[in-house]
Amino acid sequence: MTASLLGATLWLIESRRELRKAARAAMFMPAAPLEQPPPGLIWLRDGASRIRVAPRDILWVASAGNYIEYSLADGTQRLIRGTLAATENDLARFAIVRVHRTRLANLDRVRGVEFKPSGDFELTFDTGQTLGGSRRYRPAVASLGDRTALCESPPEAPDSR
């Protein structure tokens, strides 16, 4: 009886050592990588629904309370919970920049810029949609250079009285 108790005790001690070794080894093993979209794709996720979108398909992004509204080139709009500041950081590498306090625009999709006398501007996308921008963010669209036909508003005609 004593021999069986002694054997069981030794077995328990040895199995605990093996468990500790396995736990230490697991701590130093790299974690399994999280599911990443293929390069050039981003996930839009809100709760249980998730879609993958190519950044090229995003025309503009606007804040809507606690949500972000994505306007896509195919005409669909997606409402995703989040902040515009976090979205701006995520999308900056894709030439999607802030053009208004509540809006981001994909500069790769812009085909025309009309500057207003007030300093504000209006972007025209390759789909024909337009989006207003604020004079505070005018330097962001100044970088468009020769990719865009920049159109200055014509000077206002003097009153003929």
Side-chain angles (χ1 to χ4, degrees):
M1 177 79 163
T2 305
S4 61
L5 284 176
L6 188 58
T9 303
L10 291 175
W11 176 80
L12 282 174
I13 291 172
E14 187 62 30
S15 63
R16 287 187 52 110
R17 281 186 194 151
E18 290 176 14
L19 283 174
R20 282 189 195 134
K21 280 183 187 178
R24 283 188 198 123
M27 283 180 20
F28 295 111
M29 291 180 69
L34 297 175
E35 184 178 345
Q36 294 291 325
L41 292 179
I42 59 172
W43 283 106
L44 298 183
R45 183 173 64 91
D46 186 30
S49 65
R50 295 169 44 156
I51 62 167
R52 284 189 297 191
V53 175
R56 169 106 177 100
D57 292 339
I58 299 171
L59 293 179
W60 52 265
V61 180
S63 66
N66 291 334
Y67 289 85
I68 303 300
E69 179 182 4
Y70 287 82
S71 179
L72 304 178
D74 63 2
T76 60
Q77 294 185 337
R78 302 285 182 174
L79 205 57
I80 306 296
R81 189 166 178 88
T83 66
L84 193 62
T87 302
E88 180 181 15
N89 288 337
D90 293 342
L91 299 178
R93 62 191 166 125
F94 301 112
I96 299 175
V97 298
R98 192 177 291 251
V99 295
H100 188 272
R101 182 175 57 88
T102 61
R103 293 181 213 118
L104 307 174
N106 187 344
L107 297 184
D108 290 338
R109 303 290 305 242
V110 172
R111 294 296 168 248
V113 179
E114 181 183 350
F115 293 102
K116 309 283 184 181
S118 66
D120 293 346
F121 55 91
E122 188 169 273
L123 302 173
T124 303
F125 294 99
D126 54 4
T127 61
Q129 292 184 24
T130 60
L131 181 70
S134 166
R135 64 178 165 242
R136 179 177 176 194
Y137 298 98
R138 192 171 177 164
V141 297
S143 67
L144 290 174
D146 62 350
R147 289 189 297 160
T148 305
L150 299 176
C151 313
E152 289 286 341
S153 293
E156 297 198 18
D159 289 339
S160 56
R161 292 188 195 184

